[in-house]
């Protein structure tokens, strides 16, 4: 095997990133002095380094796109409060080279009366609301990414499509006016980014009680917005949501597993991988997997799940500069610019993958199985490539908690074998911290924990086996972190009570 080589100048790149970080700290001091002296920057309420860091990044990177979006939105409502300061605007935002000569209008296959309901009659679904222009060609490949997102994270589709050269099936959760914002944003993405236009198909889902609503004043808003900084564009478009929407939007539990199933089912390939939308592939992953999955011994393995590790990348590394190969990733790991996904917030996420072993394998040209997962631990959440016929994600689990890991548990009970691939991985931009997670997320975990007992019994009956001895373990007080059996038994609902739990969580 040939060893992967580090790209020329990569060391200099990391050195440059470090110098930029030093500059940002200097910038922090500058903004504190300005605010203390009563200058106009005091209105930004700069108190912490993170707030100053955010403003510095906007000043250095996002200004051009922010100014253009601001101007477009001010034509709609001069009183709109935006995220980007408009002072010292650049001519680049109006440069013809940064904007398509003419926008191609979006063709949306969508009528609210033609959608289908989910199993619980809580959400309505519209498959292939927008289809990639070369979707049929790309669907002849071996593997497809089936992902999902809400409107605020749609900008990650650009990074994903730029790194992934195969088909992308994306389920969008779009209640109320977020549908209108998303359709405008898809039009922007398809006109500015050919990979999105050609490779990506979009599906729409929304709660029955919050169907799509149009914002007519979005017409023509794209005429002056340049093709850059898609995360800034969507951030400012979201300011158009009516104020009253903020009172109920956060109470809606995001149906992760339903969205995953929609994204997965939209794929037309023999193999599927189901990442989250903010996970960005390493370079040439589609090509490497295409070659790997075409091997006869791989095609014959019906119950193999080929695991792809996920790593968090420090936000001082730009979105467009996340590691492209394993050599670069290991370099960042050694210097604490990267770490394993969920390492500090949910250790069980990848613990069974034994990533110490994966990181000890040097970068290699050919993609192959590095080793098998020897010890499955409950709540393992591997990101994997497998045949499209893998068990569906159980849709009774709505919101956060017991979503991806219950599907992995069913695969384990069904006899699937998890195998780590040696040289491909996914990037997640930013280091996750437990203290930044909202309190409502923990409540959703508790609600879904109550549903697990019934799920585990069904899985054991479905496959007539219980290799983890789950039926006995989940009766033990320590299994749920509670003090007695009564707490475990309390309120475990059956199917009929699921919709009631969902509605109660909104109050």
């Amino acid at each position: 095997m040939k060893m992967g080589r580090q790209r020329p100048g990569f060391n200099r790149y990391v050195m440059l990133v470090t110098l930029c970080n030093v500059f940002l700290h200097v910038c922090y001091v500058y903004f504190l002095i300005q605010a203390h002296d009563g200058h106009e920057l005091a209105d930004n309420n700069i108190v912490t380094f993170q707030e100053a860091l955010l403003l510095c990044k906007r000043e250095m990177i996002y200004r051009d796109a922010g100014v253009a979006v601001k101007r477009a939105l001010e034509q709609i409502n001069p009183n709109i409060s935006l995220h980007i300061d408009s002072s010292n605007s650049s001519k680049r935002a109006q440069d013809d080279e940064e904007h398509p000569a003419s926008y191609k209008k979006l063709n949306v296959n969508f009528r609210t009366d033609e959608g289908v309901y989910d199993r619980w009659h809580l959400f309505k679904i519209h498959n292939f609301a927008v289809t990639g222009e070369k979707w049929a060609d790309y669907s002849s490949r071996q593997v497809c990414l089936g992902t999902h997102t809400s409107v605020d994270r749609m900008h990650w589709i650009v990074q994903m499509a730029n790194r992934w050269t195969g088909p992308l099936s994306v389920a969008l959760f779009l209640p109320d006016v977020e549908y209108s914002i998303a359709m405008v944003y898809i039009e922007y993405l398809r006109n500015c980014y050919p990979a999105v236009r050609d490779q990506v198909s979009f599906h729409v889902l929304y709660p029955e009680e919050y169907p799509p609503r149009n914002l007519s004043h979005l017409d023509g808003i794209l005429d002056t917005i340049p093709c850059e900084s898609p995360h800034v564009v969507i951030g400012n478009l979201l300011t158009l949501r009516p104020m009253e929407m903020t009172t109920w939007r956060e109470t809606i539990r995001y149906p992760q597993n339903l969205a995953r199933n929609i994204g997965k089912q939209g794929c037309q390939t023999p193999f599927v991988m189901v990442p989250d939308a903010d996970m960005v592939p390493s370079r040439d992953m589609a090509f490497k997997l295409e070659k790997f999955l075409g091997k006869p011994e791989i095609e014959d393995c019906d119950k193999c799940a080929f695991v792809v590790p996920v790593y968090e990348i420090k936000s001082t590394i730009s979105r467009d500069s996340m590691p492209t190969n394993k050599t670069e990733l290991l370099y960042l790991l050694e210097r604490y610019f990267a770490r394993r996904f969920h390492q500090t917030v949910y250790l069980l996420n990848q613990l069974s993958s034994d990533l110490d072993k994966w990181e000890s394998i040097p970068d290699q040209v050919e993609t192959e199985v590095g080793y098998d997962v020897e010890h499955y631990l409950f709540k393992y959440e591997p990101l994997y490539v497998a045949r499209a016929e893998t068990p569906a994600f159980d849709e009774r689990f709505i919101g956060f908690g017991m979503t991806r890991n219950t599907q992995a548990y069913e695969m384990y009970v069904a006899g699937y074998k998890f195998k780590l691939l040696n040289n491909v991985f996914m990037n997640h931009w930013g280091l996750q911290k437990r203290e930044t997670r909202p309190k409502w997320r923990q409540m959703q975990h508790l609600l879904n924990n109550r549903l697990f007992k019934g799920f585990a019994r069904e899985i054991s009956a479905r496959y007539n086996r219980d290799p983890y001895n789950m039926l006995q373990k989940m009766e033990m007080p320590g299994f749920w972190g509670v003090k007695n059996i009564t707490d475990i038994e309390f309120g475990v609902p059956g199917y009929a009570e699921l919709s009631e739990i969902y509605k109660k969580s909104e109050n």
Side-chain angles (χ1 to χ4, degrees):
M1 298 291 178
K2 294 182 179 180
M3 304 292 290
R5 294 183 178 177
Q6 190 171 305
R7 289 188 299 179
F10 186 69
N11 290 356
R12 291 195 297 272
Y13 166 74
V14 174
M15 180 69 70
L16 180 61
V17 168
T18 304
L19 291 174
C20 288
N21 197 29
V22 172
F23 172 77
L24 289 171
H25 281 77
V26 174
C27 186
Y28 169 49
V29 175
Y30 169 76
F31 281 127
L32 280 179
I33 294 173
Q34 291 282 58
H36 179 74
D37 289 343
H39 293 275
E40 64 182 55
L41 285 173
D43 293 336
N44 289 300
N45 297 318
I46 303 297
V47 177
T48 68
F49 170 70
Q50 293 299 325
E51 291 169 347
L53 178 68
L54 182 61
L55 186 57
C56 288
K57 286 180 177 179
R58 288 170 180 163
E59 292 292 313
M60 292 188 298
I61 302 172
Y62 307 151
R63 179 179 301 281
D64 292 346
V67 168
V69 177
K70 175 180 171 60
R71 287 173 177 166
L73 294 181
E74 282 181 340
Q75 294 176 5
I76 299 172
N77 184 352
N79 298 319
I80 289 177
S81 176
L82 296 178
H83 302 295
I84 307 297
D85 182 24
S86 62
S87 59
N88 301 322
S89 60
S90 166
K91 295 181 180 179
R92 185 180 172 192
Q94 294 180 330
D95 193 336
D96 291 339
E97 295 180 1
E98 300 294 333
H99 191 278
S102 61
Y103 263 82
K104 183 177 180 181
K105 291 297 182 181
L106 186 64
N107 181 23
V108 183
N109 179 27
F110 186 91
R111 284 179 51 182
T112 55
D113 59 341
E114 292 181 347
V116 297
Y117 285 103
D118 71 308
R119 181 179 182 181
W120 312 109
H121 220 271
L122 297 172
F123 302 95
K124 212 165 186 180
I125 305 159
H126 299 261
N127 293 305
F128 291 98
V130 179
T131 304
E133 289 193 0
K134 297 182 180 179
W135 181 253
D137 295 336
Y138 281 102
S139 292
S140 63
R141 307 280 183 88
Q142 285 273 10
V143 61
C144 165
L145 295 189
T147 188
H148 63 98
T149 183
S150 50
V151 66
D152 56 309
R153 293 178 177 267
M154 284 180 66
H155 59 89
W156 286 111
I157 296 170
V158 176
Q159 270 80 12
M160 184 175 281
N162 285 339
R163 288 277 188 97
W164 178 260
T165 56
L168 265 165
S169 171
V170 182
L172 300 175
F173 182 61
L174 304 175
D176 202 70
V177 298
E178 290 182 3
Y179 166 81
S180 294
I181 293 172
M183 292 303 111
V184 168
Y185 191 63
I186 291 174
E187 185 174 316
Y188 158 79
L189 293 180
R190 284 168 62 95
N191 279 279
C192 291
Y193 302 97
V196 176
R197 180 190 65 226
D198 295 339
Q199 299 168 223
V200 185
S201 288
F202 296 95
H203 322 281
V204 173
L205 69 150
Y206 50 86
E208 182 186 24
E209 61 267 43
Y210 295 110
R213 195 155 58 92
N214 288 321
L215 286 175
S216 58
H217 52 272
L218 285 171
D219 295 341
I221 195 172
L222 297 177
D223 293 343
T224 58
I225 296 179
C227 291
E228 58 183 26
S229 302
H231 52 294
V232 175
V233 174
I234 190 60
N236 284 284
L237 286 175
L238 286 173
T239 63
L240 294 175
R241 290 181 295 186
M243 186 62 67
E244 63 269 16
M245 187 177 184
T246 61
T247 63
W248 55 262
R249 179 62 179 87
E250 195 174 89
T251 65
I252 300 178
R253 289 199 286 166
Y254 179 59
Q256 293 190 52
N257 278 358
L258 172 60
R260 287 186 176 116
N261 286 335
I262 294 169
K264 177 185 175 186
Q265 292 162 6
C267 289
Q268 309 295 306
T269 55
F271 292 87
V272 177
M273 182 161 62
V274 188
D276 294 337
D278 54 2
M279 294 178 177
V280 180
S282 54
R283 186 179 59 196
D284 298 329
M285 183 187 289
F287 171 77
K288 292 177 179 178
L289 290 178
E290 194 80 13
K291 187 176 180 180
F292 170 76
L293 295 171
K295 298 177 181 179
E297 64 271 23
I298 302 302
E299 291 182 339
D300 294 339
C301 188
D302 291 335
K303 287 195 173 183
C304 287
F306 302 103
V307 178
V308 177
V310 184
Y311 284 82
E312 298 174 358
I313 309 301
K314 202 170 183 179
S315 58
T316 49
I317 304 292
S318 75
R319 290 172 169 86
D320 298 322
S321 301
M322 290 189 285
T324 61
N325 58 50
K326 189 173 182 179
T327 300
E328 294 177 3
L329 174 65
L330 294 177
Y331 185 89
L332 294 180
L333 281 170
E334 291 173 358
R335 289 153 180 80
Y336 304 101
F337 280 91
R339 70 185 181 200
R340 298 163 190 175
F341 185 62
H342 276 359
Q343 181 174 318
T344 62
V345 298
Y346 183 51
L347 186 60
L348 287 171
N349 177 271
Q350 296 187 97
L351 191 60
S352 295
S353 290
D354 191 8
L355 292 180
D356 283 339
K357 187 182 296 184
W358 187 85
E359 291 163 13
S360 69
I361 301 174
D363 199 358
Q364 298 169 328
V365 175
E366 294 293 327
T367 298
E368 57 187 26
V369 173
Y371 56 93
D372 291 358
V373 171
E374 297 179 359
H375 303 290
Y376 168 86
L377 295 173
F378 178 53
K379 293 193 176 181
Y380 183 37
E381 294 188 349
L383 180 63
Y384 60 82
V385 182
R387 289 202 166 273
E389 297 81 15
T390 53
F393 294 85
D394 197 291
E395 295 172 10
R396 81 187 78 187
F397 300 104
I398 304 173
F400 289 92
M402 293 295 178
T403 53
R404 189 184 288 275
N405 63 54
T406 49
Q407 196 266 353
Y409 171 71
E410 180 173 353
M411 290 180 66
Y412 168 74
V413 174
Y416 280 81
K417 302 298 182 185
F418 296 102
K419 301 172 180 288
L420 270 290
L421 296 180
N422 63 330
N423 66 349
V424 292
F425 60 92
M426 299 287 273
N427 298 287
H428 182 280
W429 190 71
L431 305 182
Q432 302 210 349
K433 299 178 181 179
R434 186 181 297 274
E435 56 268 23
T436 61
R437 293 188 168 183
K439 293 182 179 180
W440 53 260
R441 183 163 175 167
Q442 181 60 31
M443 180 57 66
Q444 293 181 8
H445 276 270
L446 294 174
L447 288 170
N448 281 336
N449 284 349
R450 291 169 57 189
L451 293 168
F452 178 75
K453 194 171 184 180
F455 168 80
R457 287 172 174 164
E458 290 173 27
I459 296 303
S460 179
R462 181 177 303 161
Y463 297 100
N464 195 28
R465 60 195 305 260
D466 186 14
Y468 201 73
N469 199 20
M470 181 65 75
L471 299 186
Q472 179 178 344
K473 287 181 178 179
M474 66 184 183
E475 300 293 348
M476 300 171 63
F479 184 80
W480 294 112
V482 296
K483 295 181 180 180
N484 54 61
I485 296 294
T486 304
D487 290 343
I488 298 174
E489 295 291 343
F490 175 74
V492 177
Y495 280 7
E497 298 173 87
L498 179 65
S499 60
E500 187 63 24
I501 285 179
Y502 175 77
K503 291 175 182 176
K504 284 180 181 178
S505 71
E506 296 180 359
N507 297 328

